[in-house]
């Protein structure tokens, strides 16, 4: 693969794009929002400057990475990409509309990946004329740090596409795992949701503070970060919407989001990105 396009310049999209650029791939980062691209540009420069200052990359590598990224407000800039990774809002209809548009723009050989942590690639494949080239390529936040990528396939995806996507992941310094059957939440998030569902229940029912729940998990289970702090980091909005989607698709009661998560989502308490979640950011006090 020589050219990658990432659609959506939010927290995940801009990191995925920069990871590709740092590893020598020509990368288009598209977003229809002017402010989204401006924020992404600031993030890219600041991140690269910090790496240079810490001696992790050279000034020449910084310049090369910057040269590999094209910030594009027009989706047509992605038309000649070998692989497109979608990283927009975690809702089915906007993703489906994007894939319909991309299907018209791109040649038949382009592979479409969705970074969705919950929405199955087979659902998005149905809106395209290339179901054999549509699958989940799920990165973890922060994508510049986390090594794992979940590659989730459905019966229409042939072995050569799976191998090609795995090779792409390795080429940008990631470790892919393949799910050969689709299931909402995949591997990591199914385990994560079970853990955080119980942690949120303990908190909302008043059994312990957020800090003590997180401390118990880090010291008792050896996790590097507690479940409530991790929810704040990944985004309350992302977790809530993914759980809603799984519940609506499966009707499994255990998939239904905690009432507290719904309330926090509606109040805009989305964690670190909004300044408040289970913790208040800035002075780092627990709620």
């Amino acid at each position: 693969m020589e050219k990658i396009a990432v659609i959506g310049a939010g927290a995940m999209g801009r990191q995925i794009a920069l990871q590709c650029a740092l590893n020598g791939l020509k990368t288009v980062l598209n977003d229809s929002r002017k402010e989204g691209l401006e924020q992404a540009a600031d993030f890219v420069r600041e991140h690269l400057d910090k790496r240079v200052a810490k001696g992790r990359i050279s000034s020449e590598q910084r310049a090369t990475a910057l040269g590999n990224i094209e910030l594009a407000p027009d989706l047509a800039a992605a038309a000649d990409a070998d692989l497109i990774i979608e990283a927009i809002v975690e809702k089915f209809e906007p993703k489906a509309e994007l894939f319909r548009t991309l299907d018209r723009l791109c040649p038949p050989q382009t592979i479409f990946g969705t970074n969705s942590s919950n929405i199955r690639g087979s659902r998005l494949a149905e809106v395209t004329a290339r179901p054999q080239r549509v699958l989940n390529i799920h990165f973890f936040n922060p994508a510049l740090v986390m090594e794992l990528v979940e590659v989730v396939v459905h019966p229409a995806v042939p072995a050569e596409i799976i191998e090609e996507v795995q090779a792409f992941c390795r080429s940008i310094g990631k470790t892919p795992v393949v799910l050969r059957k689709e299931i909402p939440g995949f591997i990591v998030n199914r385990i994560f949701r079970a853990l955080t569902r119980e942690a949120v229940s303990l908190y909302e029912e008043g059994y312990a503070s957020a800090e003590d729940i997180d401390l118990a998990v880090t010291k008792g289970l050896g996790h590097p970060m507690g479940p409530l702090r991790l929810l704040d980091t990944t985004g309350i909005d992302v977790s809530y919407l993914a759980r809603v989607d799984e519940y609506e698709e499966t009707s499994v009661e255990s998939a239904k989001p905690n009432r507290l998560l719904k309330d926090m989502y509606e109040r805009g308490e989305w964690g670190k990105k909004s300044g408040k979640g289970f913790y208040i950011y800035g002075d780092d006090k627990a709620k």
Side-chain angles (χ1 to χ4, degrees):
M1 293 186 183
E2 296 180 358
K3 183 175 179 179
I4 308 299
V6 180
I7 313 301
M12 286 299 291
R14 63 197 183 197
Q15 290 188 66
I16 295 168
L18 182 52
Q19 183 71 19
C20 292
L22 280 164
N23 285 276
L25 293 173
K26 293 295 183 183
T27 307
V28 169
L29 178 58
N30 165 264
D31 201 301
S32 59
R33 301 169 302 118
K34 180 182 177 182
E35 65 274 16
L37 289 178
E38 290 173 347
Q39 291 168 3
D42 290 342
F43 169 82
V44 166
R45 286 192 294 269
E46 289 170 8
H47 182 85
L48 292 175
D49 288 345
K50 288 178 182 176
R51 283 201 178 188
V52 171
K54 292 179 180 179
R56 293 177 181 172
I57 62 172
S58 67
S59 297
E60 291 75 16
Q61 288 172 309
R62 174 190 180 278
T64 299
L66 283 173
N68 283 338
I69 289 186
E70 175 190 352
L71 302 179
D74 189 343
L75 195 59
D80 61 343
D82 300 302
L83 169 67
I84 293 176
I85 300 172
E86 168 273 314
I88 65 171
V89 64
E90 191 70 354
K91 293 182 179 179
F92 176 74
E93 283 304 330
K95 291 179 187 293
E97 184 56 35
L98 173 64
F99 274 54
R100 290 186 191 99
T101 302
L102 289 170
D103 199 41
R104 295 191 295 268
L105 282 174
C106 299
Q109 67 269 22
T110 302
I111 298 171
F112 292 174
T114 173
N115 185 55
S116 176
S117 60
N118 194 65
I119 296 171
R120 293 179 288 108
S122 60
R123 291 178 67 193
L124 294 169
E126 291 174 356
V127 308
T128 76
R130 65 187 79 206
Q132 74 281 8
R133 291 178 175 268
V134 180
L135 70 167
N136 291 80
I137 307 174
H138 178 228
F139 291 76
F140 289 82
N141 192 22
L144 285 161
V145 177
M146 300 294 284
E147 292 183 23
L148 185 68
V149 176
E150 291 175 321
V151 177
V152 188
V153 302
H154 50 91
V157 181
E160 58 267 25
I161 297 299
I162 300 172
E163 291 168 5
E164 194 171 350
V165 171
Q166 286 182 278
F168 156 73
C169 294
R170 296 188 185 102
S171 76
I172 62 169
K174 300 302 181 185
T175 301
V177 295
V178 177
L179 281 81
R180 300 187 179 277
K181 291 172 63 177
E182 294 178 314
I183 186 169
F186 313 148
I187 298 173
V188 173
N189 277 331
R190 289 186 71 83
I191 296 170
F192 173 65
R193 287 177 198 170
L195 176 68
T196 54
R197 184 179 297 115
E198 186 59 31
V200 173
S201 293
L202 288 168
Y203 176 78
E204 68 182 341
E205 292 171 20
Y207 288 106
S209 69
E211 288 176 329
D212 280 350
I213 292 168
D214 282 346
L215 187 62
V217 172
T218 57
K219 298 299 184 182
L221 297 178
H223 292 201
M225 184 183 292
L228 302 181
R229 179 79 70 176
L230 187 53
L231 274 171
D232 275 3
T233 302
T234 57
I236 301 297
D237 57 327
V238 174
S239 292
Y240 172 72
L241 291 172
R243 292 170 201 227
V244 167
D245 185 79
E246 181 180 349
Y247 177 65
E248 290 177 347
E249 183 180 348
T250 65
S251 298
V252 174
E253 193 64 23
S254 63
K256 193 173 184 178
N258 300 72
R259 176 69 195 190
L260 179 59
L261 278 189
K262 181 176 186 293
D263 292 343
M264 292 173 73
Y265 173 77
E266 292 175 348
R267 290 196 299 263
E269 296 173 5
W270 294 356
K272 217 166 187 179
K273 68 176 72 174
S274 68
K276 185 178 182 182
F278 289 97
Y279 297 85
I280 296 172
Y281 295 88
D283 56 9
D284 203 34
K285 294 177 181 176
K287 286 178 66 177

